[in-house]
Structures are given as structure tokens and as C-alpha cells.
Amino acid sequence: MPAIDTQLIARELPQLIAREVAHMSIIAKREVDHRAIETFLVVFTCIFGIGGWMYWMMRQK
């Protein structure tokens, strides 16, 4: 008997995938688009992260 039952996988996998996709669409659904806020936070982090590092490096001299 093989260690992996391919017939069982072939029979059950489509049902499992369909069920998971249905649940993922419910979980991943967003009410508000956060792209603008996320972009602002990335830019803010980059500017102050790099700027803070440069300030710290200049103070080390």
C-alpha cells in the first residue's frame, strides 16, 4: 500500500480548495482601502528612519 493515497487526494482536494477559497474571500474582504495610509506610513518610516540614522551618524563624529 502506498504511503500517499492519490485517489483520496484526487477525490477530496477539489472540495477542500473550494471551501478554503470561499473562506479566504470572506476573511480578506476589506471595507476600506488602506493603500494611501500604508503608502504614507512607508514613506514616513523611510524618511525618518534614514534621516534619523544620518543624524545619529553625524553625531557620532
Side-chain angles (χ1 to χ4, degrees):
M1 181 167 164
I4 298 174
D5 187 1
T6 56
Q7 292 178 348
L8 177 66
I9 292 172
R11 210 172 38 240
E12 299 291 329
L13 191 60
Q15 295 170 356
L16 290 172
I17 291 173
R19 186 172 53 197
E20 291 301 317
V21 167
H23 287 296
M24 288 176 64
S25 65
I26 293 169
I27 293 171
K29 187 176 180 182
R30 288 186 176 184
E31 296 295 326
V32 179
D33 187 12
H34 293 102
R35 282 183 291 184
I37 295 170
E38 291 168 356
T39 302
F40 171 76
L41 290 175
V42 168
V43 170
F44 181 82
T45 302
C46 289
I47 290 171
F48 284 96
I50 294 170
W53 178 77
M54 290 172 63
Y55 177 76
W56 178 77
M57 289 297 288
M58 291 173 69
R59 301 257 315 162
Q60 294 298 314
K61 291 183 180 182

